[in-house]
């Protein structure tokens, strides 16, 4: 739901220098060339050259076609314009009681996560609620099809090509089967909406069942979100309100000042909840 706002709509053209410099090994078929099938065939060759297994390539890209609805959504994005008062007033009150219930339900898990990563449970539950209503609304778009569509499109081809490669690596690693990979239209996956690159870097198997499952497994979801924040410099035991170093970490989760302030406000409300 809000993940598209958080990681893509607000930074549509903020492609990292590393991605810009990483030109594909095989680029004879250009983005938007009018021949998606030829482009996809060359992408498969490039994926193999990058060390992705033939099985992951074959299963992950089988039957993939262009999705015009994804292109339409990408082109119709509107800049986030709500004030903090408007956004937080709409998003927090209907999620507060359930968030408090989740704090109780996962109290011991959240305590262990805070010990491991330093991130308080209130912050994680606030993000969880804002992103997908605690896992209720994770999205229904086929992730690999969405990423292939956006990689073929010329607006941000290199960004999404890199994400598509990481989606195939998720398949190769055995975290998810391609059919399970459904999420937001721009490729975010899971109950706190990780892009595939973040999944590969920060997803953890917190309950020790042998899988990093951010779609169905709440302990993995919450711990992986904490690992993400810790990776960006979260300071254990410190405040997370605007002006603090930890608030700057929240802005790495979400570039929007309004959205980040809403996370901080929601987390503070959860901390005070009975």
């Amino acid at each position: 739901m809000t993940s598209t706002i958080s990681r893509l709509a607000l930074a549509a053209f903020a492609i990292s220098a590393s991605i810009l410099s990483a030109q594909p090994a095989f680029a004879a078929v250009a983005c938007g060339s009018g021949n998606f099938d030829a482009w996809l065939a060359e992408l498969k060759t490039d994926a193999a050259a990058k060390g992705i297994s033939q099985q992951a390539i074959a299963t992950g890209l089988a039957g993939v076609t262009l999705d015009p609805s994804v292109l339409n959504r990408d082109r119709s994005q509107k800049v986030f314009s709500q004030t903090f008062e408007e956004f937080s007033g709409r998003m927090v009150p209907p999620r507060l009681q359930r968030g408090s219930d989740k704090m109780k339900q996962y109290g011991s898990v959240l305590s262990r996560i805070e010990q491991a990563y330093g991130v308080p449970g209130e912050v994680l539950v606030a993000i969880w609620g804002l992103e997908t209503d605690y896992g209720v609304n994770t999205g229904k778009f086929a992730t690999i099809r969405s990423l292939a569509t956006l990689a073929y499109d010329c607006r941000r081809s290199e960004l999404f090509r890199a994400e598509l490669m990481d989606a195939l690596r998720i398949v190769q690693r055995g975290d998810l089967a391609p059919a399970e990979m459904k999420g937001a239209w721009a490729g975010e996956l899971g109950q706190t909406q990780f892009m595939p690159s973040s999944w590969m870097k920060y997803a953890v198997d917190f309950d020790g069942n042998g899988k990093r499952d951010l779609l169905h497994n709440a302990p993995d979801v919450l711990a992986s979100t904490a690992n993400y924040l810790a990776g960006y410099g979260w300071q254990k035991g410190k405040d997370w309100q605007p002006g603090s170093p930890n608030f700057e970490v929240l802005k790495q989760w979400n570039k929007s000042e309004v959205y980040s302030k809403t996370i901080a406000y929601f987390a503070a409300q959860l901390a005070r909840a009975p």
Side-chain angles (χ1 to χ4, degrees), residues 9-27:
L10 295 166
F13 303 102
I15 303 173
S16 70
S18 62
I19 292 174
L20 281 170
S21 64
Q23 296 301 316
F26 301 87

Side-chain angles (χ1 to χ4, degrees), residues 38-121:
W39 175 88
L40 188 64
E42 202 138 57
L43 181 129
K44 292 177 181 179
T45 303
D46 190 11
K50 287 178 165 63
I52 299 171
S53 71
Q54 288 295 338
Q55 182 177 2
I57 294 167
T59 58
L61 296 173
V64 168
T65 57
L66 200 70
D67 188 343
S69 71
V70 167
L71 295 177
N72 290 337
R73 285 174 180 261
D74 189 43
R75 283 161 170 70
S76 65
Q77 293 183 88
K78 294 181 173 60
V79 175
F80 188 83
S81 60
Q82 292 178 326
T83 66
F84 165 69
E85 290 75 18
E86 290 169 337
F87 186 68
S88 63
R90 178 169 65 87
M91 298 295 288
V92 174
R95 292 168 174 81
L96 188 55
Q97 182 57 56
R98 192 158 181 226
S100 182
D101 293 343
K102 293 292 184 185
M103 291 289 298
K104 297 181 181 73
Q105 181 181 355
Y106 292 102
S108 62
V109 171
L110 290 167
S111 294
R112 289 191 291 115
I113 290 172
E114 184 169 5
Q115 288 177 351
Y117 300 103
V119 183

